[in-house]
Structure formats: structure tokens, C-alpha cells
Amino acid sequence: MIHMFLLYCLVFLMPTESCRTLCQAARKSKEKVSARPHSTCNGVCVDNSQCGQPCPPDTSGNMGFLCRQNKWHKITDTCHTLTSLNIFEDDFNTILSSKQNITLEYARPYETIADMLMQKCPKDLSCVITNIQRSPRIPGNIAVIVQLLHNISTMLSTDVDEVKMESYSIMANHILDSKSISNWTFIPEKNSSCVLLHSVNTFARKLLTNKHSIDIADVFIHTMCTTISGDSNGKNLTFSMRVNDTRSSVTGRVLISRHEAQKVRSPSQVVSIAFPTLGAILEASLLEKVTVNGLVLSVILPKELTRISLIFEKIRNSEERRTQCVGWHSLESRWDQHACQMIQENSQQAVCKCRPSKLFTSFSILMSPHTLKSPILIYITYIGLGISICSLILCLSIEALVWSRVTKTEISYLRHLCIANVAATLLMADVWFIVASFLSGPMTHHNACVAATFFVHFFYLSVFFWMLAKALLILYGILIVFHTLPKSVLVASLFSVGYGCPLVIAVITVAVTEPGKGYLRPEACWLNWDMTKALLAFVVPALSIVVINLITVTLVIVKTQRATIGSSMFQEVRAIVRISKNIAILTPLLGLTWGFGIAVVVKEHSLVFHILFSSLNAFQGFFILVFGTILDPKIREALKNRVTSARRISRISENLSSDVSCHPTRGPS
């Protein structure tokens, strides 16, 4: 009997001890795994090599790393805790009771969660909210929720009521939290943020108001829905939301004017959604080079409404950085500046006029990360312009003093005519440039800004075309005898080139672009580039003239070299000096220094090229005075003769006055 009792004890205790041993071993193994770091790879780090790492315990998925500069950097992360087993609030123990059910549930992909959601709580979609809000905002969970929201928005074909919209917003709000922004970077599907934006807009498009306004406000997503009709006075939807967990809030407003509202034939609904963090999420996940500097506002309007006004308060106030009104291109997944136009801007806010459509539903403002308004550039520009204006006035004064002495021949007359007009047009261009810079911008002085930009464009083009006339005159002198054409014909031709061509280009530019408000830049009184490429009306002629002037200089050098063939060493040295003088005079005079503008266009954010370009062009008037006037030997000789004549006349007048004082005339006795 005792033996039988011991045998039974041995049979029952052995499995218990074995189970206890296995559990202790598993616990120790789990402790070892938990102690193992999951933030780096165990492999040898060689540049551009990759490796994978399992996720921490209690999560599924893996992490990918890339070696850069002998250090592992995480690039992807699919670790998640949310599955079809634990996302619902129903009886979890019932699910765990069947191993077969567990296997089936794990085998289902993410989209089956939406199917189960429609079965469990189709009326309010609330049976997943609690567990979603409890879940950590790790990359894998974000991807699961994004996919869930996408599937919900595509599966629901019926009207969405306020209750469903509230549940949907709560789910989206969880992954839009500012604390999750950095985790969006590691989601393998880089367009996840685009999918989220499109899903929210698609779901909100099905929202039904039932004749009363809807206002669903969460921390990171705010939805408003109202009705509009043709007899209303317009609509004003104002959002105020905190950014980056700060106490200060940023506002955004959707304005529908009375004129636009009158286009609506029957009562229709307007839906607008504001996102304070989605801009940063799009920037992080898509690795955009631009920075969203305001709320992202989605607007769903009746088809009759084609234009709305949006007011964005800036998150970061800056007068030095460029701001753009943009719309999100839903097909190309990028910000597009053609969807909006800047109407008014200051350091605190920007007013945009946008065109909503199927392609463009979401809008915001962008701030360039580069600052071009360097104090060095400002000082160089204004000091250089001051010196340039004084130099040009002095140049024109000298030309007027010696005009009769240096224009005795037809060739010299035409040459000095070109120099005088280059100086005069550059002087007017500099003056109008200063006028344009003192205007606060096209937002507050639009008409004055258009006028200033037109004259700046016209006179700077005139500078170039008079430089072209000078180059054509040099070519004409090298290749053809001057006296084959009458002087009056040559003068008329020069004035047609110098003033006629610029006037035609400037008038066509303003006539084509200004009706659509695409003539001016939003931030300055100058030709627009982003919307209409109006700046090409200045860049293309200028660079073309620079090329022609380069050809002219080459021909002058070749002509001079031919004259030195077979000459002595001394004559060759003199020829080299003469070539250097030709280049030194023609380079600033014919506008070759403007060729640095190409480098500015290519390297738009390079401060070095901007300083070089600003320096050379701001002192252009000084260069014309020095190389075009003072270094001209004939002008110096004429000035010398003028001074000598003035001194001689002064001496004669002094002698006459002294003679009169020494021998006074006697009057009648």
C-alpha cells in the first residue's frame, strides 16, 4: 500500500516539477531576452550595410538598421502590439478559449479588423476606441491604425453621422499626437501620412449634417460641418489649436464670401477639418525640404464653390523666410503652389486665395528653411546702390562736359551715345529699385508695387539692350565699315533696340500675368517665379545678351591678336596690355558680370553666390564710371583741356581785372 502511494506521488509530482523547471527556464530565457538591447544591431557595422533586429518582448515585427559612419541607424520599425485579438473591447477570454480561433485571428491581415468592426459595432465604431487609446504610439501601431482608418473610409458607402465621425476622429487623434511625429519616420510605407490625410477627407466627405452644425474638437484634429445656401452672407469657420503641446494656440480660418455663397443653388454642406501636427508628420514621413508653418486645413465644398479665402496664423513668425500658400496634390502626394495664391502677408499671418477641387482638398502655408535676407547682402546692396547712383550722376555730368569734344566723329558719337544711355537707364533702374524696396510689399500697396516692378523691369532690360546695342556697334565696326549707313539710321536703330525691345517685353509681361495676379512675388515688388514664371521675361533676354557680349569680346580679342602677328616682343606685350584693357572695359560695360545670375539661379540658397552677384551688380554704375569714362584717354584729355581752358580764362579775367584796377579810366572834367 505504501509502495503504491509513493508511486502515485512520483507520477503526479514529476510533471509538476518538470513544468516548474520549464517555467523557470523560460522565465530566465525571457529575462535574458529582455536584457538584450533592441536599439542596435549585433553585426559588424560597415558603411551602407543593413541588418535586422527582432522587436522587444510583447511586440511583434522587426526593426531595420543601416550603417552610416560606423554607426547603426534605425530606418524601419514594424513593431506593434495591436492585433485583431486585442483591439476590440469584447470578451477577450472567450477568444482565448479556442486555440483554433486564435490561429485564425492571427492569420487575418489588418483589413479584417475593419470587417470585424462593422460586425461588432457598426452604429458608432466605438468598440476599438479604448484599446487604441491605451496602445503605445509606436510605428507598427500607427501603421495598423492608418490601415484601419483607410479601410473604414472605403467600406462605408452610406452617410456618416456625427457619432461615427466622433469615433473616427478619436482614432485619428491618437496617432496625430505630437509625441508620435518622430515615429512616423520609421514606418516602411512612407506614404502612410498621405493615406491618413486622404482617408480622413474621404470619410468626412460622407458626413451628413441633418440641418444642424457639427463641431467635433479633439486635441490634434478638429472637424466642423455646417450648411450654406445662396441667400446666406457667407461662412466663417475659425479653428484655434495648440501646437507641440504648448499653451499658445495657432488659428486658422476658412472664409466663404457672400459673392461665392450666392453661387450655391440649393442648401449644401461645408466640411472643414484642421490638423495642427499633420504638416510636421508629412514633412517627417516624406522627408520634405519645406516646413509647414500653419494649420493644415481640409475643405470639402459644394461643386459650385471654386474659390475660398484661408487665413493661416504662422507657427513661427519670421519676416526673413519665404512663405508660400500651397495645396496638397492628392495624386502626386506633394504640396503644390499652383492651387493657391498669396493675397496678404505679415510676420504673424498669411491670407491665401485657394481653388478647392478633387485634386486639392487640403491647404496650408510653407516656410522655406533657408534665409536669404542676410544683413551682409542688405548692406552690400544699399551701399553699392548709393555709390552706383553717385557714380552714374558723375558719369553723365562728365559726358555732358566733354560731349562736344569727344563726339566729333560718327564712331565716337555713337559710342558715347550708348555709354550715356547705359548710364541713364541704369540710374533710373536703381532709383526705381529703391522705390520698390521701400514699399511694404504687394499685399498692402499692390498698384504701386505693380508700377514699381514694371519700371524696374523696363529700365533694367533697357540697360541690357543698350549693352546689346553697344556690342552690336562693336561688331558692326569690326566687320563692316561704319559709313555705309547714314548716321540718323544708326541712331534710330540704337534707340529701337535700347528702348523699343524692353518696352515690348515689359508690356507683354504685365498684360499676360497681372490679370491672374501672377505678375508679382508674394513677398516683394519683383517679377513672380513660382506661379507664372514671369521672371523669365527678364532672365532669358539678360542671359542671351550676356552670351552675345561674350562672343563680341572674343571677336575683339581675335581681332587684336591678328594685328600682333609678326610683331616684335615689345609690340606683343603692348598688344596683351591692349587686350586686357579691352576686356576690363567691356566686361562691366556689356554686363558680363550679370552672368553670376546663372549661379544664383542654380545655387539658389548659396550665400557666397548671392554676395558676389549683389556686389558686382550693385557697383555696376561705379564700374561704368571708372572703365567707361575715367579710363578713356580721350575723355581724360578733353577734361584736361577743359580744365586748362578754364584756368586760362580765369587768368585772363584776373589780368583784365588787375589792369582795370591799375589804370582806371578818367571821367570828363
Side-chain angles (χ1 to χ4, degrees):
M1 189 69 180
I2 296 174
H3 292 290
M4 290 295 294
F5 178 76
L6 292 175
L7 182 60
Y8 277 114
C9 289
L10 183 62
V11 170
F12 285 103
L13 287 175
M14 280 183 64
T16 306
E17 289 297 325
S18 300
C19 182
R20 187 177 301 153
T21 304
L22 288 174
C23 291
Q24 290 176 353
R27 191 180 298 109
K28 291 180 180 179
S29 176
K30 187 174 182 179
E31 290 174 357
K32 290 181 180 180
V33 171
S34 301
R36 180 181 173 183
H38 295 270
S39 58
T40 59
C41 279
N42 295 327
V44 179
C45 185
V46 181
D47 281 351
N48 297 322
S49 62
Q50 297 184 7
C51 80
Q53 189 80 357
C55 291
D58 301 326
T59 60
S60 302
N62 56 71
M63 297 178 289
F65 294 84
L66 176 67
C67 181
R68 291 194 300 262
Q69 298 179 352
N70 298 324
K71 188 176 180 180
W72 290 111
H73 297 270
K74 185 166 68 172
I75 55 174
T76 60
D77 188 337
T78 61
C79 300
H80 63 276
T81 59
L82 288 175
T83 65
S84 57
L85 288 174
N86 57 18
I87 197 171
F88 293 99
E89 299 174 26
D90 56 3
D91 190 0
F92 188 65
N93 295 325
T94 304
I95 300 176
L96 291 178
S97 62
S98 174
K99 294 182 180 180
Q100 184 178 0
N101 287 343
I102 294 175
T103 305
L104 291 174
E105 294 292 347
Y106 269 119
R108 290 183 180 181
Y110 295 149
E111 54 264 29
T112 59
I113 299 178
D115 294 328
M116 297 169 64
L117 180 66
M118 294 303 159
Q119 297 174 6
K120 294 177 181 293
C121 50
K123 293 184 178 180
D124 56 6
L125 310 178
S126 62
C127 54
V128 295
I129 290 178
T130 301
N131 289 339
I132 284 179
Q133 289 180 317
R134 290 174 180 173
S135 65
R137 299 179 185 90
I138 54 179
N141 283 347
I142 294 175
V144 170
I145 298 171
V146 168
Q147 189 64 47
L148 173 61
L149 294 173
H150 171 69
N151 292 336
I152 293 173
S153 65
T154 55
M155 291 174 63
L156 278 179
S157 58
T158 58
D159 293 331
V160 174
D161 57 17
E162 185 175 358
V163 177
K164 291 179 181 176
M165 191 68 207
E166 288 177 352
S167 300
Y168 197 90
S169 297
I170 292 173
M171 288 185 269
N173 183 77
H174 183 70
I175 56 177
L176 288 169
D177 194 296
S178 57
K179 298 175 183 178
S180 67
I181 293 176
S182 59
N183 287 333
W184 284 82
T185 309
F186 304 115
I187 301 176
E189 295 78 14
K190 296 303 179 184
N191 66 334
S192 294
S193 55
C194 311
V195 172
L196 174 63
L197 177 59
H198 178 72
S199 302
V200 174
N201 291 339
T202 302
F203 192 81
R205 196 178 294 274
K206 303 171 185 178
L207 183 61
L208 188 63
T209 59
N210 290 327
K211 298 182 180 181
H212 72 278
S213 298
I214 294 175
D215 191 340
I216 303 172
D218 289 293
V219 179
F220 301 103
I221 179 173
H222 188 176
T223 304
M224 290 187 185
C225 183
T226 185
T227 56
I228 190 171
S229 58
D231 57 353
S232 62
N233 294 324
K235 288 293 179 181
N236 180 357
L237 304 179
T238 302
F239 300 92
S240 181
M241 308 185 76
R242 291 188 294 114
V243 180
N244 298 330
D245 295 332
T246 58
R247 292 184 178 180
S248 59
S249 59
V250 176
T251 60
R253 295 170 62 189
V254 179
L255 302 178
I256 302 174
S257 65
R258 183 177 181 181
H259 175 72
E260 285 290 325
Q262 290 175 351
K263 298 179 181 179
V264 181
R265 298 176 182 177
S266 59
S268 305
Q269 66 180 28
V270 174
V271 181
S272 185
I273 310 169
F275 307 89
T277 57
L278 185 57
I281 290 172
L282 289 167
E283 179 186 352
S285 59
L286 298 176
L287 302 178
E288 291 281 340
K289 295 182 180 179
V290 292
T291 302
V292 176
N293 198 26
L295 298 178
V296 175
L297 296 178
S298 292
V299 183
I300 301 167
L301 302 174
K303 60 181 180 180
E304 294 90 353
L305 298 181
T306 57
R307 284 183 176 271
I308 57 169
S309 296
L310 301 174
I311 302 178
F312 297 95
E313 183 181 355
K314 295 181 179 179
I315 297 175
R316 288 171 290 277
N317 299 335
S318 176
E319 297 180 353
E320 298 180 350
R321 297 191 178 187
R322 184 182 179 188
T323 301
Q324 289 180 322
C325 297
V326 291
W328 182 257
H329 198 297
S330 57
L331 292 182
E332 300 180 3
S333 298
R334 61 176 178 85
W335 292 111
D336 194 323
Q337 57 202 6
H338 294 93
C340 292
Q341 175 189 352
M342 180 76 75
I343 301 300
Q344 187 176 354
E345 181 191 6
N346 54 40
S347 59
Q348 284 80 34
Q349 67 178 18
V351 181
C352 306
K353 182 79 74 174
C354 299
R355 301 187 301 273
S357 63
K358 291 183 178 179
L359 287 179
F360 299 103
T361 307
S362 304
F363 307 92
S364 190
I365 54 173
L366 302 183
M367 179 180 68
S368 173
H370 304 280
T371 303
L372 294 182
K373 288 187 178 180
S374 170
I376 299 175
L377 285 177
I378 295 174
Y379 293 142
I380 290 176
T381 300
Y382 285 104
I383 293 174
L385 283 174
I387 296 174
S388 180
I389 289 174
C390 295
S391 301
L392 291 170
I393 294 174
L394 183 58
C395 176
L396 292 173
S397 301
I398 292 174
E399 288 287 341
L401 285 174
V402 301
W403 185 263
S404 59
R405 295 176 180 269
V406 297
T407 58
K408 293 180 179 180
T409 64
E410 187 174 287
I411 298 175
S412 60
Y413 175 84
L414 295 174
R415 184 167 66 88
H416 283 279
L417 180 67
C418 290
I419 293 174
N421 277 280
V422 166
T425 52
L426 185 57
L427 176 62
M428 294 302 298
D430 289 344
V431 170
W432 277 105
F433 179 85
I434 293 176
V435 172
S437 65
F438 275 103
L439 294 174
S440 59
M443 312 312 162
T444 54
H445 301 90
H446 182 78
N447 294 332
C449 201
V450 169
T453 302
F454 174 83
F455 284 113
V456 171
H457 185 204
F458 169 70
F459 281 115
Y460 270 124
L461 278 179
S462 297
V463 173
F464 277 101
F465 276 94
W466 273 107
M467 291 175 180
L468 175 63
K470 174 69 175 174
L472 295 176
L473 191 64
I474 293 173
L475 287 175
Y476 189 69
I478 292 174
L479 303 176
I480 307 173
V481 181
F482 271 90
H483 297 286
T484 55
L485 290 176
K487 179 180 176 180
S488 58
V489 174
L490 290 173
V491 171
S493 301
L494 291 176
F495 272 89
S496 298
V497 173
Y499 291 113
C501 295
L503 183 62
V504 170
I505 295 174
V507 169
I508 291 176
T509 304
V510 69
V512 171
T513 58
E514 176 55 24
K517 302 300 180 183
Y519 183 60
L520 302 175
R521 289 191 176 191
E523 74 278 4
C525 295
W526 184 229
L527 299 174
N528 186 284
W529 171 254
D530 298 320
M531 289 181 60
T532 60
K533 300 294 187 290
L535 185 60
L536 290 176
F538 176 75
V539 173
V540 173
L543 296 184
S544 301
I545 291 171
V546 167
V547 172
I548 295 173
N549 291 343
L550 280 170
I551 297 173
T552 303
V553 172
T554 304
L555 290 176
V556 170
I557 293 174
V558 171
K559 189 74 174 180
T560 310
Q561 284 179 338
R562 287 179 180 177
T564 61
I565 295 176
S567 59
S568 63
M569 188 68 180
F570 176 72
Q571 290 176 336
E572 290 180 0
V573 172
R574 290 186 62 185
I576 294 172
V577 172
R578 189 162 59 251
I579 294 172
S580 301
K581 286 183 178 180
N582 287 332
I583 296 174
I585 293 172
L586 290 175
T587 297
L589 192 59
L590 300 181
L592 298 182
T593 52
W594 290 78
F596 278 98
I598 300 175
V600 171
V601 173
V602 175
K603 296 288 186 179
E604 183 181 357
H605 307 299
S606 175
L607 184 60
V608 175
F609 282 120
H610 276 85
I611 292 176
L612 287 173
F613 182 68
S614 299
S615 302
L616 290 172
N617 288 283
F619 290 92
Q620 189 86 344
F622 177 74
F623 294 154
I624 291 175
L625 172 65
V626 173
F627 297 110
T629 303
I630 295 176
L631 293 182
D632 191 329
K634 291 186 177 181
I635 292 180
R636 291 204 307 269
E637 184 180 353
L639 283 174
K640 184 178 179 181
N641 293 335
R642 190 68 182 260
V643 172
T644 303
S645 299
R647 288 178 179 176
R648 187 181 301 129
I649 293 172
S650 177
R651 288 198 195 99
I652 292 172
S653 61
E654 288 178 1
N655 291 334
L656 288 175
S657 62
S658 62
D659 289 342
V660 171
S661 62
C662 293
H663 305 283
T665 56
R666 293 182 179 181
S669 57

